[in-house]
Amino acid sequence: MKPTTIMEALKLKLKQQIIEALNLQDTRPEDIDDNAALFGEGLGLDSIDSLELMVLLERQYKIKVEDPREGRKILQSVQSMAEFIQSKQPA
Amino acid sequence: MAERVFITGIGMISAIGNNVQENLRHLREQKSGLGYTRHIDTIHRDVLPVGEVAATTAELAAMAGIKELPGYTRTTLLGLVAIQEALRSAGIKDAKELPTAFINASTVGGMCDTEKVYFDILDPNKEGDFLNYIDTLDCADCTQRIADETGIDEYVTTISTACSSSANALMYGARLIQQGLVQRAVCGGTEALTRFTMNGFNSLKNIDKQFCRPFDQQRNGLNLGEGAAYVVLESESLVKERNAQILAELSGWCNTNEAFHPTAPSPEGDGAYEAMKKALKMSGRSTADVQYVNVHGTATLNNDVSEGIALERLFGSNVPKFSSTKPFTGHTLAAAGAIEAIFGVLAIREQLVFPNLHFSEKMEELHITPETQLLENYPVKNVISNSFGFGGNNASLVISKYEG
Amino acid sequence: MKGKYYIQSAAAISPQESFSGPFVPQLLTLADKNLLRIKEPDYSGFIPPNNLRRMSRVLKMGLVAALQCLRNSEVSMPGAIITGTGKGSLQDTERFLKNITEYAETALNPTPFIQSTYNSVNGLIAVQQKCTQYNSTFVHRGFSFEHALLDSMMQIAEGNADVVLTGAFEEISDEHFYIKSRIGYWKKALTQPAELLTSRTPGTIAGEGSAFFMLGSKPGNHPLACIEGIKMVYKPTQEKLHAALETFLAQHEITPSDIDLLITGQNGDVNHDHYYHNLIVQYFPATTSLPFKTLCGEYDTASAFALWLATQVIKEQGLKKILIYNNFYGDQHTFLLLSNS
């Protein structure tokens, strides 16, 4: 697969996992914009959700985010999460 | 006018001592009780520091005079050790002599012991002593065992408002006295370390792997602790009647809620500000009368910002000496409010301000820094003791020197 | 604690059809377990979906009963929120305990831990109503709701609050039902509510529910009933219990014959039924009594359902005075005196 396709597939999978992990009923993957803010105005998530998303990263992608301040940057959007995951995958 | 409420007895056990004198000595020696657990079976044992009571559960049972252990959890035993000292210190030989309230505080009851046998309890093929622990899972169990051992039976109940639980217990007992329902109330809380709470706070990513650094720019979370503390509260009329020794007055209190978020305080510290302001107003003291604030100061990112801003809002440019004693004891959750209320009493009686250990760098959000030195001969007359927690539950107590 | 404390509104979620519409008590039929489960109302009209998604069972049950009580009242901002719960969120506690083992203490979801804290329902009510006033949770078996009530009455007596939102919530999980069955809490043989009081066997049937009340210093527009007094007695002998009742009635200047209805916590458990039996024989031989646990089952805060039941029957049946007497497994005993105005 081309890198762009891999990235798209990753983002779609990530959206599905976010919906499941946070029990976002009535939300479909296509409802979540890649670059929309996950917290505050965007999806309306809060600090507990951000912890849940860090659990998701750790369980599904074996990536541990130790510092909550770092976590905030990674979890800005689906795009930023996907980029972070890719940067941690062995090339 | 409601009757004044006095503190006539204190008793405690924590990571820095099995009684009040030992706690005071270690505060004076600036000796932290933080270290690593010897009693909890956890993968975090060498990673997450805790303020653990050195004694084993069997040793605690011996200290509390309990011979048949099954059913007595570490939570109960810590509580028994502390309440026995509190009653002795108040000169009460037999708690049954007067209708007395016992207002206890707990966050997870006997979880320290039930978590070890929980899956045995669920297994229909297993039988044994562990069945004695089934009823210890809730918060009432430790309270009732402590009440039954001491003979207190007029009002017996338990409060659970997370980290402010025992501050609320003191408040509730004082109010029962003011309403004339009892003349004496023994109030406080007990908390044993558990795998449950260690993993719980760790899942919130707010446990520091270093020793906690309240009000420091580099702080990175709390360390849990365990312990128990009780104060004997008595009405003014009872104190006079029996000529009891007055250690201090519980002169003001307030409970507010942040109504902001399940686990985070409001950024401007609204709830903390209101709690301190109203408690002070009730005590009839002004901000200028406060010499020391024993802050909640958990060293989590959120708490210290909110609480610090609340201090600056209330006291303006004249913030009194303040420190968090959690680097000594760890955060003892349900016991914290009572432990720190006793530290408030000690600050007044010994004319001390306790240092905020592990502080080095001022927080960028604040203009103030905690007291880092032990101050002796400091004229402490009024102390504010803060306890804030999950669910937005805030509680502030004002403890005052008795001057007639 | 003398004075009058008006119940301005109430709401209950219970095994009965109690949440909306006229209440008709029913003796339910159990299928396979001695356990009465609540009839769940539609929670979506009360809680925004974004908040609802995370909440476990008892949180929804507690929050929605509280919100319904607020809707039924003319009050939007209570002066205090005070609750009682014996067990809090069992579902979350169990889930977190299991997660610790299953995931070997790594990468644990924080939500069940947060929601397992006993004051989480109180926090949610406060957030949803933006109520920054006094807020507390009592967690002491059969003295949980009772102290929430006493605290509420004190808040009013102290002049700190004109109206207090007070209530209780409790769930029973299958796991906890099994745990308690190991130490004899429930009857061994399937026992229908209709046969509960004549079963003559140890244990009882489990229940759950949530009930909230708006308690005020003034009657409000449609007062349901008035709390005249409460007396708790801890682990009493029968003599002490009876003496406490006599003192309590005397303090309110009434005699047993002034009580029109006795609502009791009789639950068919031979180990503790004698408290009810002897009290009735000695003081209330001719008084109508209404045992409420056949309707809701036994749980730490079942007395909140009893109080809700009292608010339903007091006006409807033109009663002047109701006495509720309940005990929880023989340890926590409470008398609660109500009047119609």
Side-chain angles (χ1 to χ4, degrees):
Chain A
M1 274 197 286
K2 281 190 271 182
T4 50
T5 332
I6 293 173
M7 187 65 176
E8 290 308 313
L10 172 61
K11 282 190 281 191
L12 177 63
K13 192 171 152 203
L14 204 47
K15 286 176 191 175
Q16 288 162 340
Q17 287 167 333
I18 292 172
I19 288 169
E20 198 199 325
L22 304 183
N23 195 20
L24 299 172
Q25 293 150 342
D26 306 327
T27 304
R28 293 162 302 172
E30 53 268 37
D31 297 336
I32 305 174
D33 191 273
D34 291 357
N35 292 301
L38 291 172
F39 297 89
E41 286 304 301
L43 268 186
L45 305 183
D46 69 0
S47 58
I48 299 172
D49 294 309
S50 86
L51 293 166
E52 292 288 353
L53 292 182
M54 288 188 232
V55 173
L56 189 158
L57 288 175
E58 193 169 343
R59 285 221 193 118
Q60 308 287 344
Y61 298 94
K62 311 291 173 226
I63 302 171
K64 208 165 176 175
V65 184
E66 289 285 356
D67 183 355
R69 285 176 264 217
E70 187 197 355
R72 250 171 255 166
K73 282 182 205 145
I74 299 161
L75 301 175
Q76 270 172 4
S77 63
V78 170
Q79 184 72 30
S80 64
M81 282 178 80
E83 284 169 8
F84 178 72
I85 293 167
Q86 260 199 340
S87 74
K88 294 281 173 180
Q89 307 284 354
Chain B
M1 266 294 277
E3 267 205 278
R4 292 166 75 184
V5 177
F6 295 112
I7 297 170
T8 58
I10 50 179
M12 72 194 302
I13 178 166
S14 79
I16 56 167
N18 295 340
N19 53 49
V20 173
Q21 278 313 313
E22 283 181 27
N23 271 269
L24 177 61
R25 197 177 76 229
H26 288 131
L27 286 169
R28 273 212 161 101
E29 292 169 0
Q30 307 189 44
K31 198 166 165 253
S32 165
L34 294 174
Y36 295 89
T37 179
R38 287 184 292 170
H39 304 144
I40 311 279
D41 179 19
T42 170
I43 64 162
H44 307 300
R45 85 169 59 75
D46 302 324
V47 184
L48 302 181
V50 290
E52 190 170 62
V53 170
T56 63
T57 301
E59 286 163 353
L60 289 173
M63 285 160 70
I66 297 297
K67 290 182 184 68
E68 289 291 318
L69 199 55
Y72 284 84
T73 63
R74 191 170 173 86
T75 316
T76 301
L77 296 168
L78 287 167
L80 274 171
V81 170
I83 201 170
Q84 287 165 357
E85 185 190 14
L87 291 170
R88 271 197 312 275
S89 125
I92 298 166
K93 287 194 183 67
D94 180 7
K96 286 194 277 289
E97 69 190 12
L98 270 179
T100 299
F102 178 43
I103 313 300
N104 195 27
S106 167
T107 63
V108 289
M111 182 62 83
C112 50
D113 291 87
T114 43
E115 68 184 3
K116 293 176 187 156
V117 294
Y118 191 75
F119 295 96
D120 290 337
I121 293 171
L122 292 184
D123 186 345
N125 298 316
K126 287 194 175 165
E127 298 280 342
D129 259 357
F130 65 81
L131 292 175
N132 288 310
Y133 288 93
I134 286 183
D135 253 341
T136 70
L137 185 59
D138 70 4
C139 294
D141 172 76
C142 58
T143 307
Q144 295 198 169
R145 285 179 192 264
I146 296 167
D148 295 352
E149 285 294 326
T150 52
I152 299 175
D153 66 357
E154 184 65 19
Y155 285 95
V156 177
T157 196
T158 317
I159 291 176
S160 195
T161 54
C163 315
S164 64
S165 300
S166 56
N168 278 319
L170 265 67
M171 227 181 272
Y172 191 62
R175 290 169 55 225
L176 289 173
I177 290 172
Q178 289 201 329
Q179 287 297 316
L181 295 175
V182 285
Q183 289 183 288
R184 178 185 287 160
V186 185
C187 310
T190 177
E191 184 82 40
L193 281 167
T194 71
R195 210 157 83 121
F196 189 89
T197 31
M198 279 178 77
N199 279 289
F201 281 91
N202 198 41
S203 79
L204 292 166
K205 297 208 191 297
N206 60 12
I207 300 189
D208 199 337
K209 291 188 173 117
Q210 297 185 41
F211 291 168
C212 67
R213 295 157 283 175
F215 282 87
D216 189 284
Q217 175 67 15
Q218 302 305 325
R219 75 197 179 285
N220 199 21
L222 52 78
N223 305 138
L224 289 171
E226 66 179 357
Y230 296 99
V231 302
V232 178
L233 299 179
E234 293 183 274
S235 69
E236 185 169 24
S237 51
L238 177 62
V239 165
K240 285 194 172 142
E241 186 187 312
R242 73 179 193 100
N243 205 12
Q245 179 195 212
I246 294 171
L247 299 177
E249 178 177 1
L250 184 56
S251 59
W253 52 79
C254 183
N255 159 320
T256 64
N257 194 277
E258 294 280 357
F260 181 72
H261 183 270
T263 57
S266 61
E268 296 297 306
D270 293 343
Y273 170 77
E274 285 297 323
M276 286 191 282
K277 189 174 128 183
K278 288 182 179 156
L280 204 53
K281 183 169 180 237
M282 177 185 171
S283 77
R285 270 82 173 172
S286 70
T287 50
D289 296 324
V290 179
Q291 290 79 27
Y292 173 55
V293 183
N294 187 301
V295 291
H296 187 53
T298 53
T300 61
L301 300 183
N302 287 330
N303 176 80
D304 293 7
V305 174
S306 299
E307 189 174 14
I309 291 175
L311 283 171
E312 291 179 346
R313 282 171 67 187
L314 182 64
F315 291 99
S317 53
N318 296 309
V319 176
K321 302 287 182 195
F322 72 97
S323 64
S324 166
T325 43
K326 290 189 171 73
F328 284 96
T329 58
H331 186 357
T332 57
L333 305 178
I339 285 178
E340 290 163 24
I342 292 178
F343 288 168
V345 172
L346 294 176
I348 290 169
R349 294 194 65 79
E350 305 290 326
Q351 299 287 279
L352 290 174
V353 168
F354 310 115
N356 189 111
L357 303 179
H358 315 147
F359 175 87
S360 58
E361 186 184 346
K362 186 181 83 66
M363 288 164 58
E364 61 186 12
E365 298 90 340
L366 300 179
H367 305 290
I368 52 174
T369 57
E371 181 52 53
T372 58
Q373 304 298 314
L374 175 80
L375 303 182
E376 300 257 15
N377 302 314
Y378 198 82
V380 183
K381 286 189 177 179
N382 295 289
V383 176
I384 294 180
S385 180
N386 285 339
S387 301
F388 308 138
F390 273 16
N393 277 112
N394 295 320
S396 292
L397 304 173
V398 181
I399 299 156
S400 300
K401 186 173 183 174
Y402 176 63
E403 295 180 304
Chain C
M1 284 288 298
K2 287 209 115 181
K4 281 185 179 290
Y5 306 89
Y6 295 92
I7 299 175
Q8 299 182 353
S9 71
I13 295 171
S14 75
Q16 301 286 319
E17 293 286 357
S18 55
F19 190 67
S20 52
F23 170 62
V24 183
Q26 292 192 330
L27 289 172
L28 300 162
T29 305
L30 300 170
D32 56 352
K33 260 187 182 179
N34 286 325
L35 191 168
L36 284 165
R37 286 210 187 283
I38 57 151
K39 292 203 170 24
E40 291 211 6
D42 180 6
Y43 295 131
S44 61
F46 289 87
I47 310 171
N50 201 32
N51 298 352
L52 196 60
R53 66 191 163 88
R54 206 152 52 196
M55 285 181 201
S56 55
R57 201 165 168 269
V58 79
L59 269 67
K60 288 189 262 196
M61 193 199 293
L63 178 58
V64 168
L67 295 176
Q68 176 79 333
C69 180
L70 279 157
R71 283 188 188 181
N72 291 342
S73 77
E74 298 123 40
V75 178
S76 60
M77 192 58 81
I81 301 172
I82 309 172
T83 62
T85 181
K87 305 288 180 276
S89 180
L90 287 170
Q91 196 184 68
D92 286 302
T93 307
E94 291 161 4
R95 190 174 294 161
F96 198 66
L97 275 166
K98 289 211 181 80
N99 285 354
I100 290 173
T101 305
E102 186 180 347
Y103 297 105
E105 300 185 71
T106 51
L108 299 177
N109 301 99
T111 300
F113 175 68
I114 294 166
Q115 297 190 155
S116 76
T117 48
Y118 292 83
N119 62 330
S120 54
V121 169
N122 262 44
L124 287 173
I125 303 170
V127 171
Q128 182 124 349
Q129 295 305 117
K130 300 263 171 287
C131 178
T132 58
Q133 304 301 310
Y134 184 92
N135 188 302
S136 197
T137 302
F138 291 88
V139 291
H140 197 99
R141 295 184 190 161
F143 283 162
S144 306
F145 175 60
E146 287 70 8
H147 272 283
L149 215 47
L150 178 61
D151 193 352
S152 304
M153 292 159 71
M154 291 203 298
Q155 286 292 334
I156 291 169
E158 290 160 349
N160 281 339
D162 294 328
V163 280
V164 178
L165 179 65
T166 183
F169 46 90
E170 214 75 62
E171 71 171 329
I172 182 75
S173 63
D174 285 328
E175 193 162 302
H176 204 74
F177 180 85
Y178 172 71
I179 288 175
K180 286 294 164 69
S181 75
R182 299 203 71 174
I183 48 173
Y185 269 61
W186 322 126
K187 290 190 183 300
K188 289 208 169 75
L190 184 67
T191 308
Q192 297 298 336
E195 304 153 0
L196 186 66
L197 301 180
T198 51
S199 55
R200 294 177 190 283
T201 50
T204 182
I205 59 176
E208 58 178 9
S210 171
F212 274 82
F213 307 88
M214 191 64 76
L215 205 62
S217 56
K218 297 192 178 66
N221 288 345
H222 306 286
L224 299 171
C226 180
I227 296 179
E228 302 267 338
I230 184 169
K231 177 65 192 170
M232 288 171 249
V233 199
Y234 174 66
K235 290 191 178 174
T237 58
Q238 185 183 296
E239 292 71 32
K240 193 178 165 190
L241 181 69
H242 288 193
L245 173 66
E246 288 178 18
T247 309
F248 182 62
L249 295 178
Q251 277 168 349
H252 293 91
E253 293 162 355
I254 56 171
T255 62
S257 60
D258 294 318
I259 302 295
D260 303 313
L261 176 69
L262 181 69
I263 297 181
T264 77
Q266 276 169 287
N267 65 1
D269 182 344
V270 287
N271 293 324
H272 309 296
D273 252 4
H274 59 91
Y275 290 111
Y276 299 104
H277 177 77
N278 295 341
L279 196 94
I280 289 170
V281 168
Q282 187 160 344
Y283 298 100
F284 303 101
T287 310
T288 311
S289 82
L290 170 59
F292 68 90
K293 285 175 186 164
T294 52
L295 302 175
C296 68
E298 180 67 280
Y299 53 99
D300 302 56
T301 52
S303 54
F305 177 79
L307 180 57
W308 178 84
L309 185 64
T311 65
Q312 300 298 301
V313 297
I314 195 163
K315 286 267 156 66
E316 183 190 285
Q317 299 183 11
L319 308 172
K320 286 202 180 73
K321 287 213 163 13
I322 294 180
L323 181 69
I324 301 174
Y325 165 56
N326 181 46
N327 78 61
F328 187 66
Y329 289 93
D331 284 350
Q332 302 93 25
H333 299 247
T334 304
F335 298 109
L336 186 61
L337 182 65
L338 301 172
S339 69
N340 62 352
S341 61

